[in-house]
Amino acid sequence: MKNEFVATQNVTTFNDACAELESPASLIGPSIGMVTGQAGRGKSEAAKHYAAQTEAIYLPPLNVRTPTMILREITFELCNVKPGRSDTCLAMIGEEMGKQRRLIIIDEADLLTMQVLEMLRNVNERFSCPILLIGEQELKGKIASRRRLASRIRRRVEFAPLSQPDIALFFRKALDLKPASEVISEIHRYAAGDWRPVLSVAIEIERALRASGLEEASLDLVREIIKERKN
């Protein structure tokens, strides 16, 4: 299986939101964005891919995060150093953002405390630093609970469940396969909007085709794989 990134409609919308936050136009008005959606819909992969293709900063998930830890992570991505003091971090962030505005993408922001979210709001306001928060549905409630946070959200993006065309594109790019529509439909029902079951089934399909010497995945084969995975 090839390591191929699939540019779905969710990804296109995500990229558009990031570009808007990075744009000089976001110096007028708020410059914080929020991306939400159930786990497994590709939010993190979209964020990592965008950061790899641009100057954006991506902070991966970490269950325990204090304001100082977040500031040190941001400073490290900007300056390749991790100062021990928050005020030093803030000074360096301000200096670097003055040279070049860079989008800061923070994954699993729904797990952040309100103290950390408020600190990020302060960083955004003080340094005109665009920030994108990514999380599951709980993030919406946290943001809505603080008017001074909610009023500063410039873009809201909701990751929709993956579609049958998304699955077909993935199989074409990653496995050079063009499964029949009924096969795609079967996988789509099983996945229930989540990318992870699709990937698991694709791995099993690739293994089965390699073992059998066949070149196409039949509906019976896919149903058998799904049945085994459910047991």
Side-chain angles (χ1 to χ4, degrees):
M1 183 182 299
K2 292 180 288 186
N3 184 16
E4 291 282 349
F5 182 77
V6 181
T8 64
Q9 183 57 53
N10 280 332
V11 171
T12 299
T13 305
F14 180 93
N15 291 348
D16 287 346
C18 289
E20 180 178 341
L21 293 172
E22 290 177 320
S23 168
S26 70
L27 288 168
I28 303 173
S31 55
I32 301 178
M34 179 173 66
V35 175
T36 53
Q38 293 181 15
R41 291 190 176 173
K43 302 184 299 300
S44 295
E45 292 304 313
K48 287 185 281 189
H49 186 265
Y50 187 86
Q53 303 299 314
T54 67
E55 295 296 321
I57 295 167
Y58 171 74
L59 302 189
L62 186 64
N63 285 343
V64 180
R65 278 171 158 169
T66 65
T68 300
M69 289 172 67
I70 289 283
L71 289 175
R72 294 185 73 208
E73 285 186 80
I74 294 172
T75 307
F76 180 76
E77 293 297 328
L78 289 172
C79 311
N80 204 34
V81 294
K82 285 188 176 182
R85 293 170 56 91
S86 295
D87 55 350
T88 305
C89 290
L90 288 168
M92 296 181 75
I93 291 169
E95 182 178 351
E96 291 301 315
M97 285 293 166
K99 297 175 184 176
Q100 179 186 7
R101 269 178 100 234
R102 295 173 64 185
L103 175 65
I104 298 174
I105 304 173
I106 302 176
D107 208 349
E108 293 194 2
D110 52 309
L111 300 180
L112 298 177
T113 64
M114 289 306 305
Q115 182 185 19
V116 173
L117 290 173
E118 290 283 12
M119 181 272 295
L120 290 170
R121 177 184 63 80
N122 291 152
V123 170
N124 167 258
E125 292 177 348
R126 178 170 294 191
F127 306 123
S128 299
C129 168
I131 293 174
L132 182 66
L133 304 173
I134 300 177
E136 296 187 33
Q137 301 303 322
E138 291 80 5
L139 180 60
K140 293 180 181 179
K142 280 192 171 183
I143 297 296
S145 70
R146 296 291 178 93
R147 180 172 175 78
R148 58 175 170 253
L149 273 172
S151 65
R152 287 170 171 81
I153 302 297
R154 186 183 189 95
R155 282 291 298 267
R156 299 171 185 264
V157 174
E158 180 72 21
F159 261 49
L162 79 166
S163 66
Q164 293 191 36
D166 292 339
I167 298 173
L169 178 61
F170 169 74
F171 272 87
R172 186 167 67 250
K173 295 186 71 172
L175 284 89
D176 293 320
L177 292 177
K178 294 183 179 180
S181 58
E182 60 266 25
V183 171
I184 295 296
S185 179
E186 190 75 17
I187 297 172
H188 182 255
R189 281 194 294 272
Y190 169 65
D194 189 335
W195 271 113
R196 295 186 183 101
V198 174
L199 180 59
S200 298
V201 169
I203 292 170
E204 294 295 335
I205 288 174
E206 183 181 43
R207 183 179 295 119
L209 294 182
R210 189 185 300 118
S212 65
L214 297 175
E215 296 183 354
E216 295 294 334
S218 68
L219 182 59
D220 287 342
L221 170 62
V222 171
R223 283 176 172 170
E224 183 61 29
I225 289 172
I226 291 174
K227 179 180 178 181
E228 290 180 0
R229 294 196 61 81
K230 287 181 176 179
N231 291 338

